[in-house]
Amino acid sequence: MAKIAALPIVGMVLAECAQAGLMIVSKAAMSTGMNMLIFVCYSNALAASVLLPTSLVFHRSTERPPITFSILCWFFLLGLLGFMAQLIGYAGINYSSPTLGTAMLNLVPAFTFVLAVIFRMEKIDGRSCSTLAKTLGTIVSISGAFIVTLYKGPPLLMTASVDLLSHNQLFLPQSNWVIGGMLLGLHCVVAAAWLIIQASVLKKYPAELIIVFYYCFFVAIQSVVVLWFVERDLSAWALNPRLRFFAVLYSGVFGSAFQVGVSTWCLNRTGPVFVSMFKPLGIVVAVVIGVIFLGDTFYLGSLIGAIVIVTGFYSVIWGKANEEKMDDEAGASSLTSKKQRVPLLQNIIDEI
């Protein structure tokens, strides 16, 4: 029993390590001059080729609704939002650092709440502790994002030697922390919109891995279409140096297929709160790998901002979990009251 309980923990640790690793290898690949669009295209094409057989095997025993033109349109919309999110996110990492990218990822629940309120998918009740926690958590998270973007502060961790890449090669593009932070913030907004659309698609087509396959497939197709107009140099598609090939291989297999698959598996067995608890782990992983292997620098502003963002993150998650608990209790109470009323009604009928 203990072994079964430990599996989701191990799975989420590996998933967060894979997510942090994705940001680091993408930063390294783009620092060699690799086109971001080509990186997105290669990565999603590889992920789709891995997910196609995996999804068919995983969902072979489940009944699935037919894939209609309407469902395909929803898949295309998911791909379009995902294409935009990946492009903006990689650009943000290229301008800043993987550490900032992993810290900003914790803004996604807050922006999801904001978008849900804007589109009237969620109501604000000022007397509810859950609503208060989500609202304050959103404000705190966004405040942390401003701190980590606008204030770098003195360096806390840095290394003079780099084992994997030279420092000059890794930071070839001129770093602009503020632009990177703004792009990563925009990435979180688009990612939050993607999550809302995904939730709607899951209700129409409840097969997670098949949805992810079509998502990666359409992202790859959309990348090719855009590249046809913006990149006519065929030599740009070359995966030389080898670092580019390694980055694409890691991104497609571990960054997309493995990370999404394991997170989905853990989500189905433990719930969204348990999965969300491991998100801040990615910050630690990115700092350790970035400083030791890539010569990255960890600043005081990143530490303070990350702590503030994570505090707001947990506030939003707690508010959501408490809200779901209250809804479950209300549903159970309603069911109990119905069961209690049925015998009384039956006695009246018998007397008549």
Side-chain angles (χ1 to χ4, degrees):
M1 189 72 177
K3 184 177 180 181
I4 296 176
L7 284 178
I9 298 176
V10 175
M12 284 310 305
V13 170
L14 293 175
E16 289 306 315
C17 289
Q19 176 69 37
L22 171 62
M23 294 195 172
I24 291 171
V25 298
S26 64
K27 168 80 174 183
M30 287 180 290
S31 295
T32 65
M34 187 174 188
N35 189 309
M36 285 182 294
L37 278 168
I38 294 177
F39 181 76
V40 169
C41 181
Y42 272 137
S43 301
N44 284 275
L46 179 59
S49 64
V50 172
L51 284 166
L52 178 58
T54 305
S55 61
L56 293 177
V57 171
F58 187 82
H59 294 291
R60 69 183 184 278
S61 59
T62 58
E63 294 185 3
R64 303 185 303 272
I67 299 179
T68 62
F69 179 75
S70 176
I71 294 295
L72 282 176
C73 289
W74 281 106
F75 290 163
F76 180 84
L77 179 59
L78 270 181
L80 182 60
L81 287 174
F83 172 66
M84 294 169 57
Q86 289 186 41
L87 199 60
I88 296 170
Y90 287 138
I93 294 170
N94 196 33
Y95 276 105
S96 55
S97 75
T99 303
L100 180 62
T102 51
M104 296 288 276
L105 272 180
N106 293 278
L107 283 171
V108 174
F111 284 131
T112 304
F113 171 67
V114 171
L115 290 177
V117 171
I118 291 175
F119 291 105
R120 298 182 179 179
M121 300 171 64
E122 188 156 356
K123 295 181 180 179
I124 296 180
D125 183 4
R127 298 169 297 178
S128 170
C129 294
S130 301
T131 300
L132 186 61
K134 288 188 289 184
T135 304
L136 291 178
T138 299
I139 296 173
V140 170
S141 294
I142 295 175
S143 300
F146 277 110
I147 294 174
V148 81
T149 301
L150 300 177
Y151 174 67
K152 289 182 72 172
L156 298 179
L157 293 174
M158 60 187 302
T159 180
S161 62
V162 183
D163 298 329
L164 186 60
L165 295 170
S166 69
H167 186 274
N168 292 333
Q169 182 185 14
L170 181 64
F171 294 99
L172 185 61
Q174 185 178 0
S175 178
N176 192 319
W177 199 263
V178 176
I179 292 179
M182 293 174 63
L183 287 171
L184 289 169
L186 181 58
H187 161 77
C188 291
V189 174
V190 180
W194 185 89
L195 285 173
I196 292 175
I197 298 297
Q198 185 198 41
S200 176
V201 174
L202 277 170
K203 293 179 181 178
K204 298 177 176 64
Y205 196 86
E208 296 91 345
L209 289 183
I210 292 179
I211 291 176
V212 176
F213 158 71
Y214 275 104
Y215 156 70
C216 293
F217 173 76
F218 279 120
V219 170
I221 295 299
Q222 291 161 7
S223 302
V224 170
V225 173
V226 175
L227 281 165
W228 175 262
F229 294 100
V230 301
E231 183 61 79
R232 294 298 183 93
D233 184 10
L234 294 179
S235 63
W237 290 82
L239 294 178
N240 292 318
R242 290 183 179 179
L243 175 62
R244 296 186 184 183
F245 175 78
F246 171 76
V248 168
L249 183 65
Y250 181 94
S251 175
V253 177
F254 294 99
S256 296
F258 173 79
Q259 192 265 339
V260 173
V262 171
S263 298
T264 302
W265 181 84
C266 294
L267 181 68
N268 290 335
R269 283 156 181 78
T270 61
V273 176
F274 178 86
V275 171
S276 300
M277 286 172 59
F278 289 84
K279 287 298 179 185
L281 177 65
I283 302 174
V284 180
V285 176
V287 169
V288 172
I289 297 178
V291 171
I292 294 177
F293 295 104
L294 301 181
D296 203 352
T297 302
F298 185 55
Y299 296 96
L300 176 63
S302 298
L303 176 63
I304 297 174
I307 292 174
V308 174
I309 290 174
V310 170
T311 302
F313 168 84
Y314 280 127
S315 178
V316 174
I317 295 300
W318 180 88
K320 188 64 179 175
N322 190 56
E323 186 179 64
E324 291 177 355
K325 181 181 178 182
M326 292 176 62
D327 290 342
D328 291 340
E329 290 177 352
S333 176
S334 176
L335 183 61
T336 303
S337 63
K338 287 181 180 179
K339 288 182 177 179
Q340 290 175 348
R341 287 196 297 268
V342 168
L344 178 62
L345 181 61
Q346 186 64 44
N347 290 336
I348 296 174
I349 294 174
D350 292 339
E351 290 178 1
I352 295 175

